[in-house]
């Protein structure tokens, strides 16, 4: 019997926006804060609500702005070690039983090892996402990015037409506000 069990996103809603650095686009963009409820689903039918989640999406590419889209140094080292192990196994004396193909595979594995070494030595240390965010200027628009309506500026900046909150910086959405109204 086929059983399909999984977590579904339901009731996704855009609740705000800010300026952020998108790791996928590799440039500063307007990021949208989306909130949704995660549900446990059986056969595509939501059964049990789990929790509310929120994340920032790039308005250009629709990807999460803080996800990693490049290969890290540790991953490159693991790939190179795996390639070296495969090459060592191909040069095993008992591998002679496949004599017609073994020389092609040995040559191909040596070329792959050389390319992995070049790839590893070309690795450059990129600044972290927090360092890139720190260099961004805060958002100072007087009009909404989505509806071009005027923004209400008070204790919090918001667009009354879109019902969106405007965050000066992305970190303001994740930390609780310390300002209390009088």
């Amino acid at each position: 019997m086929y059983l399909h069990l999984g977590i579904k996103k339901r009731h996704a809603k855009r609740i705000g926006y800010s300026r952020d650095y998108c790791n996928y686009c590799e440039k500063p963009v307007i990021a949208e804060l989306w909130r949704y409820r995660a549900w446990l689903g059986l056969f595509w039918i939501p059964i049990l609500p789990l929790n509310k989640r929120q994340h920032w999406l790039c308005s250009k590419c629709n990807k999460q702005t803080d996800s990693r889209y490049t290969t890290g140094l540790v991953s490159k080292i693991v790939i190179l070690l795996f390639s070296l192990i495969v090459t060592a196994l191909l040069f095993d004396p008992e591998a002679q039983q496949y004599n017609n193909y073994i020389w092609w595979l040995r040559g191909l594995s040596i070329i792959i090892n050389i390319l992995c070494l070049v790839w590893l030595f070309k690795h450059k240390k990129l600044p972290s996402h927090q360092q890139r965010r720190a260099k961004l200027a805060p958002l100072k628009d007087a009009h909404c990015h989505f509806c071009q309506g005027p923004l209400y500026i008070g204790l919090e900046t918001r667009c009354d037409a879109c019902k969106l909150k405007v965050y000066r910086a992305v970190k303001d959405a994740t930390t609780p506000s310390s300002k209390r109204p009088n």
Side-chain angles (χ1 to χ4, degrees):
M1 181 175 167
Y2 176 71
L3 179 69
H4 183 77
L5 185 69
I7 296 177
K8 310 288 181 212
K9 293 180 183 180
R10 307 238 335 150
H11 308 294
K13 182 179 178 184
R14 181 175 49 207
I15 59 171
Y17 69 93
S18 180
R19 184 181 315 271
D20 196 5
Y21 187 88
C22 178
N23 283 339
Y24 189 80
C25 298
E26 295 183 349
K27 61 183 176 182
V29 295
I30 297 294
E32 305 168 7
L33 181 61
W34 284 83
R35 182 177 293 152
Y36 62 92
R37 181 172 286 282
W39 288 73
L40 182 67
L42 178 66
F43 291 111
W44 301 278
I45 300 170
I47 296 175
L48 180 68
L50 297 176
N51 59 1
K52 286 186 179 178
R53 298 179 183 177
Q54 64 184 25
H55 58 262
W56 290 95
L57 290 180
C58 174
S59 60
K60 302 262 188 229
C61 65
N62 211 22
K63 307 256 188 213
Q64 286 191 12
T65 57
D66 58 349
S67 293
R68 203 168 94 192
Y69 296 101
T70 58
T71 308
L73 181 63
V74 174
S75 300
K76 290 180 179 183
I77 291 172
V78 168
I79 291 169
L80 177 64
L81 288 176
F82 179 75
S83 177
L84 288 172
I85 290 170
V86 169
T87 302
L89 291 174
L90 285 173
F91 280 93
D92 185 26
E94 294 180 8
Q96 294 296 333
Q97 60 184 341
Y98 304 109
N99 217 2
N100 295 338
Y101 302 107
I102 197 71
W103 290 106
W104 287 101
L105 291 174
R106 286 177 180 169
L108 183 63
S109 68
I110 290 172
I111 292 171
I112 290 173
N113 285 330
I114 291 170
L115 291 175
C116 283
L117 276 172
V118 169
W119 186 42
L120 180 67
F121 286 125
K122 283 190 169 186
H123 180 79
K124 58 183 177 183
K125 177 87 170 133
L126 298 175
S128 70
H129 192 67
Q130 287 78 19
Q131 291 169 340
R132 289 177 176 171
R133 277 182 177 167
K135 291 180 182 177
L136 292 176
L139 197 59
K140 295 181 182 178
D141 293 336
H143 297 284
C144 177
H145 177 73
F146 296 100
C147 72
Q148 303 303 321
L151 293 176
Y152 169 77
I153 300 173
L155 289 177
E156 66 178 23
T157 306
R158 67 179 187 271
C159 175
D160 290 330
C162 300
K163 306 289 189 245
L164 295 178
K165 186 173 178 184
V166 180
Y167 296 96
R168 298 289 177 208
V170 170
K171 64 182 177 186
D172 297 340
T174 56
T175 58
S177 177
S178 60
K179 296 180 182 177
R180 301 275 181 202
N182 294 335

